[in-house]
Amino acid sequence: MGKEKNPRRVADNEAMAKVRMLRTSPQKLNLVAAMIRGKKVEKALTDLTFSNKRVAQDVKKCLQSAIANAENNHNLDVDELIVAEAWVGKNLVMKRGRPRARGRFGKIMKPFSELTIKVRQVEEQA
């Protein structure tokens, strides 16, 4: 008997990786994600390696995880992968504060984000 196998969330020529609880705002993370959308994975890795943004190292780690998932779990060719999609979502916001003048309280919001990267295998045109 047993349960039926869950259907795949991505197509047969795709693989995905997700990072939750990245300590940066979604707006800043989306700038880095936009930098790699639609590029070949080796070009995207190079761009992330030499980026001056702090969060670029976390995005690079997520991209490497998506590449490893494609290679090991889905038997895709690493040389033919492109970054099909990279999207950013909000996560929780830690609320902190600081006492200010005249009895007031300054709010300090510390946002978290999540990042999802989907890579797709495309055959190169000759």
Side-chain angles (χ1 to χ4, degrees):
M1 288 299 273
K3 290 196 308 186
E4 289 186 24
K5 188 172 143 184
N6 282 336
R8 283 194 59 190
R9 293 182 197 151
V10 292
D12 290 335
N13 63 339
E14 291 179 341
M16 188 172 90
K18 188 168 195 171
V19 177
R20 294 184 176 94
M21 299 297 286
L22 278 175
R23 178 57 191 90
T24 185
S25 73
Q27 189 175 6
K28 291 177 185 175
L29 183 58
N30 195 37
L31 290 172
V32 179
M35 196 168 66
I36 63 169
R37 279 188 198 114
K39 292 186 177 178
K40 293 181 68 67
V41 289
E42 55 267 1
K43 174 76 171 117
L45 285 171
T46 306
D47 289 351
L48 291 171
T49 302
F50 295 106
S51 174
N52 289 328
K53 304 276 188 188
R54 175 188 62 86
V55 76
Q57 297 310 309
D58 295 323
V59 175
K60 180 180 174 187
K61 193 183 287 190
C62 182
L63 179 58
Q64 288 172 331
S65 176
I67 294 167
N69 289 342
E71 185 178 16
N72 297 317
N73 300 347
H74 307 304
N75 300 321
L76 301 178
D77 186 15
V78 177
D79 297 328
E80 295 179 352
L81 291 178
I82 62 163
V83 180
E85 300 174 31
W87 70 90
V88 175
K90 291 182 182 180
N91 210 314
L92 69 92
V93 177
M94 289 194 307
K95 281 103 176 167
R96 299 293 182 262
R98 183 182 179 112
R100 307 302 292 172
R102 299 165 64 190
R104 297 196 180 136
F105 188 71
K107 278 173 128 178
I108 298 174
M109 310 298 249
K110 298 187 174 215
F112 285 78
S113 310
E114 55 185 53
L115 171 69
T116 308
I117 294 179
K118 195 182 280 189
V119 293
R120 181 178 299 138
Q121 181 177 346
V122 292
E123 285 75 27
E124 297 176 11
Q125 289 90 15

